[in-house]
């Protein structure tokens, strides 16, 4: 079943794209991450032009996060004040990201920067997560109780001026911290086509020290708005949003996410985290290999 | 058609010294729709020799299908600090977006390099108009890189036995147009080659266009980017929400 993608300008196997969306959806349902960090590289490996892969993946994430946000809202899992500050930062970040994207495209370094950022981010986060989950699993094996981490304010964040109260997050901190975090994620969304949940969630837990109950909901809330803004930015600047591609991915991921969330209930959370960590590390390694191995195509062509 | 026949008749009566080509293409218009996976064009025609019969050693045919030319930038990766990154680049002002040539014999047996360059026959004969003032050997390297890349993408094709000649007067050639061709005005050129010289040539035009929904989507993305973006977001939200509702019930 082939279908022609009007913006990417090539014909793809519809089933492959839906299954790809479905596979990523299963993982995102299992681990509670958006899965953009998998969708974009896989689309690029499949031969979709990087700009189209990044832009359409952002559009898909908007749809993939909406039912999650609604579910979290029903159970009071969203800190709207915190989320609002992060969205504001994220929208500005996606604007900055668009400028950076264009600059890098002009220099011809966008592909390298995409790959390198993936390697650094995924490698770092994957290592952290793997260490943490292996530690927990070993501690449980020895029959120790997992050490409860003290929630403490990060020194640097405590230094920032004018503090706001974020009741649901249980925080009294400067809004600049979540704003900057949002900005950084916004840049990542535009350049990498990721929602940024895999950066946001650890940062919200470990850096900001937010109450655990609102972390996922607030992160999804931010992702929903920032990916929507990113779609608009790509639609007006790179014109690389392929509606057909995004819909195909979304159909797959919507179904996959439901299957995945059912899987997740049967597994222990620390094993889930270890699996996710290994997956993240695998993507990072694949990207690193792509950077260091002699590529099949030494030459690339762009209009100019 | 009638007029062409008259012209033929006139030519035959006059017994003009030169042969004439009467080419045609199976599709003048190729429509790209949702199910488009590429097209197979048949380029065919007749060779009209003076006195109406083929000479003792019949001439050969080269058929070329060329896509719209583009100004492009070719980048070359080099190993920098253990990583392969784009380093040098070269600009070409007139690289065909698609180029396919089919001949009745390998091109090297038909024409010399000079003639090939004049008529842009074969991948080595392409006139890419390099725009940078780089030394010739560097330009050559980039040209080869470009041709090799496009060849592997199926966008530059050479078929040395692609033209079938029957009785020396009828010819036909299949040219496969892959799905990732750019849209635009294509030209189908036919050359009659005898003793290393092009003795006749003829041109037909082929249009490749997106049509229907595909055309609408790509037009909308370029003409009304804001509405297009809003629709993309709205569709994405609707599908995501709808799927959530569906699974919540069951």
């Amino acid at each position: 079943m082939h279908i022609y993608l009007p913006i990417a300008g090539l014909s793809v196997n519809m089933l492959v794209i839906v299954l790809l969306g479905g596979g990523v959806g299963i993982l995102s349902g299992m681990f509670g991450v958006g899965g953009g960090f998998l969708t974009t590289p896989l689309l690029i490996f499949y031969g979709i032009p990087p700009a189209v892969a990044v832009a359409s993946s952002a559009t898909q994430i908007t749809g993939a996060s909406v039912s999650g946000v609604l579910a979290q809202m029903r159970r009071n899992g969203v800190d709207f004040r915190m989320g609002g500050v992060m969205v504001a930062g994220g929208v500005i970040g996606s604007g900055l990201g668009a400028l950076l994207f264009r600059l890098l495209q002009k220099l011809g370094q966008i592909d390298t920067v995409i790959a390198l950022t993936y390697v650094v981010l995924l490698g770092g986060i994957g290592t952290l997560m793997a260490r943490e989950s292996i530690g927990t699993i070993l501690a449980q094996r020895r029959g120790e109780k997992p050490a409860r981490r003290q929630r403490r304010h990060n020194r640097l964040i405590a230094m920032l001026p004018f503090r706001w109260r974020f009741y649901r997050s249980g925080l009294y901190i400067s809004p600049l911290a979540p704003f900057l975090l949002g900005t950084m994620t916004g840049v990542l969304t535009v350049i990498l086509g990721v929602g940024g949940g895999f950066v946001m969630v650890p940062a919200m837990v470990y850096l900001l020290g937010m109450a655990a109950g609102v972390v996922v909901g607030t992160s999804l809330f931010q992702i929903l708005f920032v990916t929507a803004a990113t779609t608009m930015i790509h639609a007006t600047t790179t014109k690389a949003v392929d509606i057909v591609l995004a819909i195909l991915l979304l159909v797959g991921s919507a179904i996959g996410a439901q299957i995945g969330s059912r899987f997740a209930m049967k597994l222990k959370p620390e094993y889930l985290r270890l699996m996710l960590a290994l997956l993240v590390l695998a993507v990072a390694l694949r990207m690193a290999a792509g950077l260091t191995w002699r590529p099949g195509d030494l030459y690339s062509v762009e209009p100019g | 058609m009638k007029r062409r026949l008259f012209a033929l008749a006139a030519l035959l009566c006059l017994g003009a010294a030169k042969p004439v080509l009467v080419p045609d293409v199976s599709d003048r218009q190729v429509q790209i729709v949702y199910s488009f996976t590429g097209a197979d064009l048949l380029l065919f025609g007749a060779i009209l020799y003076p006195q109406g019969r083929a000479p003792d050693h019949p001439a050969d045919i080269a058929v070329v299908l060329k896509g719209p030319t583009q100004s492009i930038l070719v980048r070359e990766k080099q190993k920098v600090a253990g990583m392969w990154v784009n380093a040098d680049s070269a600009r070409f002002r007139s690289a065909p977006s698609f180029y396919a040539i089919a001949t009745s014999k390998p091109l090297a047996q038909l024409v010399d390099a000079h003639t090939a360059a004049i008529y842009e026959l074969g991948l080595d004969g392409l006139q890419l108009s390099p725009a940078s003032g780089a030394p010739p050997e560097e330009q050559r390297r980039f040209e080869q890189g470009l041709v090799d890349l496009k060849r592997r993408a199926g966008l530059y094709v050479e078929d040395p036995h692609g033209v079938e000649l029957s009785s020396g007067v009828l010819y036909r050639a299949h040219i496969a147009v892959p799905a990732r061709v750019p849209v635009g005005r294509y030209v189908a050129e036919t050359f009659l080659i005898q003793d290393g010289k092009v003795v006749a040539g003829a041109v037909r035009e082929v249009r490749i266009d997106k049509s229907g929904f595909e055309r609408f989507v790509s037009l909308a993305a370029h003409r009304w980017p804001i509405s297009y973006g809003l629709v993309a977001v709205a569709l994405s939200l609707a599908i995501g929400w709808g799927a959530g509702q569906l699974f919540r019930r069951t």
Side-chain angles (χ1 to χ4, degrees):
Chain A
M1 265 295 269
H2 275 75
I3 189 164
Y4 185 83
L5 301 178
I7 304 296
L10 53 98
S11 164
V12 294
N13 190 330
M14 203 159 111
L15 216 59
V16 170
I17 301 290
V18 173
L19 285 177
L20 196 156
V24 174
I26 290 180
L27 296 172
S28 71
M30 275 172 82
F31 304 124
V33 292
F37 72 92
L38 282 171
T39 317
T40 314
L42 287 174
L43 286 178
I44 296 173
F45 295 150
Y46 187 63
I48 310 281
V52 177
V54 165
S56 312
S57 159
T59 313
Q60 182 252 338
I61 297 167
T62 310
S65 50
V66 62
S67 53
V69 172
L70 292 175
Q72 291 286 346
M73 272 164 64
R74 277 193 295 271
R75 41 163 290 236
N76 254 341
V78 182
D79 182 338
F80 288 103
R81 191 166 204 193
M82 181 67 89
V85 171
M86 286 177 168
V87 168
V91 170
I92 289 174
S94 51
L96 289 176
L99 292 178
L100 194 62
F101 196 93
R102 197 179 284 177
L103 178 73
L104 288 169
Q105 238 177 357
K106 224 181 203 170
L107 294 173
Q109 300 303 343
I110 185 73
D111 299 354
T112 310
V113 171
I114 289 178
L116 205 59
T117 320
Y118 265 117
V119 171
V120 172
L121 268 183
L122 296 179
I125 289 165
T127 312
L128 281 177
M129 275 180 13
R131 261 176 44 192
E132 185 267 345
S133 52
I134 289 171
T136 316
I137 290 168
L138 289 180
Q140 276 178 347
R141 288 256 168 98
R142 286 195 299 265
E144 292 165 18
K145 277 206 169 161
R148 275 202 81 82
R149 258 180 8 91
Q150 281 270 294
R151 261 176 64 201
R152 213 190 291 152
H153 285 316
N154 184 292
R155 266 262 187 80
L156 281 172
I157 286 166
M159 271 161 54
L160 293 171
F162 29 79
R163 296 180 158 204
W164 283 10
R165 284 187 199 283
F166 296 96
Y167 290 103
R168 285 202 187 148
S169 306
L171 288 176
Y172 179 50
I173 57 165
S174 163
L176 281 176
F179 183 86
L180 289 176
L181 184 60
T183 311
M184 202 188 74
T185 327
V187 174
L188 292 181
T189 306
V190 172
I191 293 183
L192 304 184
V194 298
F198 67 97
V199 185
M200 290 275 282
V201 171
M204 285 159 95
V205 174
Y206 299 116
L207 280 180
L208 302 185
M210 275 171 69
V214 294
V215 167
V216 172
T218 310
S219 144
L220 276 173
F221 178 82
Q222 195 260 2
I223 288 170
L224 177 72
F225 283 96
V226 175
T227 52
T230 302
T231 298
M232 291 308 296
I233 281 172
H234 273 297
T236 47
T237 58
T238 58
K239 299 195 168 58
V241 178
D242 198 309
I243 277 191
V244 177
L245 177 60
I247 290 176
L248 288 178
L249 285 172
L250 199 50
V251 167
S253 68
I255 300 167
Q258 302 296 329
I259 302 171
S261 59
R262 260 147 239 198
F263 264 136
M265 288 178 219
K266 295 182 185 150
L267 285 168
K268 284 187 186 162
E270 52 276 9
Y271 285 96
L272 269 178
R273 283 206 300 277
L274 180 60
M275 280 162 70
L276 177 61
L278 294 179
L279 186 74
V280 165
L281 283 176
V283 177
L285 276 178
R286 175 63 185 82
M287 286 298 228
L291 274 174
T292 48
W293 282 342
R294 186 189 161 86
D297 293 320
L298 276 188
Y299 295 88
S300 59
V301 172
E302 62 189 74
Chain B
M1 200 64 206
K2 232 176 196 171
R3 202 182 298 159
R4 207 180 290 162
L5 279 177
F6 276 128
L8 282 183
L11 270 171
L12 293 178
C13 294
L14 287 170
K18 279 195 170 175
V20 176
L21 282 170
V22 188
D24 208 349
V25 189
S26 55
D27 290 297
R28 304 266 168 86
Q29 189 111 31
V30 176
Q31 304 282 4
I32 297 184
V33 292
Y34 67 94
S35 56
F36 184 73
T37 53
D40 188 36
L41 283 181
L42 177 66
L43 288 85
F44 60 98
I47 312 162
L48 298 174
Y49 290 105
Q51 284 97 42
R53 58 189 165 81
D56 296 337
H57 62 112
D60 284 291
I61 289 280
V63 173
V64 175
L65 183 66
K66 236 190 278 186
T69 56
Q70 298 165 319
S71 172
I72 56 163
L73 190 66
V74 180
R75 294 190 190 278
E76 185 191 51
K77 285 197 168 67
Q78 271 166 20
K79 200 162 190 170
V80 178
M83 285 189 311
W84 288 90
V85 286
N86 285 331
D88 285 351
S89 64
R91 202 179 293 278
F92 295 99
R93 279 209 205 89
S94 67
S97 48
F98 177 81
Y99 181 96
I101 181 167
T103 42
S104 49
K105 265 187 212 148
L107 200 60
Q109 295 173 25
L110 296 182
V111 287
D112 56 17
H114 184 66
T115 316
I118 292 173
Y119 291 95
E120 284 201 80
L121 291 173
L123 297 179
D124 293 328
L126 290 180
Q127 302 300 315
L128 300 170
S129 332
S132 37
E137 65 267 24
E138 195 180 313
Q139 263 167 24
R140 190 85 204 119
R141 199 177 77 218
F142 275 99
E143 271 180 33
Q144 276 169 353
L146 169 69
V147 168
D148 184 50
L149 187 75
K150 292 266 196 177
R151 201 208 311 253
R152 276 183 292 135
L155 292 171
Y156 283 7
V157 186
E158 255 180 358
D159 186 352
H161 298 285
V163 175
E164 203 182 303
L165 275 168
S166 17
S167 328
V169 289
L170 292 177
Y171 69 87
R172 50 190 280 144
H174 281 282
I175 287 182
V177 178
R180 52 176 74 203
V181 287
V183 295
R185 202 180 132 259
Y186 283 61
V187 283
E189 299 171 323
T190 311
F191 299 97
L192 184 68
I193 299 165
Q194 203 163 25
D195 304 322
K197 284 196 194 77
V198 174
V199 289
V203 179
R204 282 285 170 276
E205 193 177 295
V206 180
R207 284 205 72 92
I208 299 187
D209 269 319
K210 293 179 186 172
S211 74
F213 177 69
E214 280 52 45
R215 179 186 174 80
F216 174 72
V217 170
S218 68
L219 257 182
H222 285 94
R223 274 206 203 146
W224 312 290
I226 294 177
S227 318
Y228 180 86
L230 288 173
V231 169
V233 172
L235 264 176
S236 181
L237 285 174
I239 294 176
W241 180 78
Q245 290 294 309
L246 204 71
F247 282 101
R248 218 153 70 92
R249 296 250 171 79
T250 52

